[in-house]
Amino acid sequence: MFDDQGRAPDIAAKQWHFNNAAGIGFDADVCVKVLHSDVSDRLSRLHLSQLAYLCAALPGFFKHRGFSVSVDIDGEVCRYDDTLFVAVMNEPYEGGGFKFCPQASPYDGQLDSCIAQGIKKTELVHLIPRAMKGHHTVSRGVHMARGRVYRITTNVSVWVQTDGEVAYKSNDISISLLPQAVQFLGL
């Protein structure tokens, strides 16, 4: 349950864990649409979840309003205007097969990030296929980074997603590694 601003009623300092990816902005908006779409449910049952994300993403992109963001990575701060999204990842892929952080590895002790800002609507046609293959990293408006501790602040509250689950809206998010937090036991 959320209030009219997208916040959980007891929003004070939430702590969420994720394995693969956390994101704000457009990628979280797409997750909201996918999670609440009958079409997405049907496509997922047919093992076409990648198509579900595309169906949710394309119409939303043309309505999405950019936001200003300050991204502090290990004490180094960069500011971006007209931001589409910020994705912080521990694996290369998210959202039905988008390879936003092609160099991300759960073994290197770093989190990779992809920040998209200033992307023109007309550039989307070329950028989506490139992002699916991980070839978008040199495109105009795409900024790649790597670090252990992130603090992301925005000028407006934006949806936050962790591994595709949408929890709340916020304008101040901290993300850091918990080394060896997930252990797998093979039987």
Side-chain angles (χ1 to χ4, degrees), residues 50-80:
Q50 197 170 39
L51 189 56
Y53 278 88
L54 282 173
C55 289
L58 288 176
F61 180 80
F62 294 100
K63 296 177 186 174
H64 184 78
R65 296 170 73 159
F67 54 93
S68 295
V69 65
S70 174
V71 181
D72 179 329
I73 305 171
D74 296 337
E76 201 168 311
V77 180
C78 292
R79 289 177 177 75
Y80 304 95

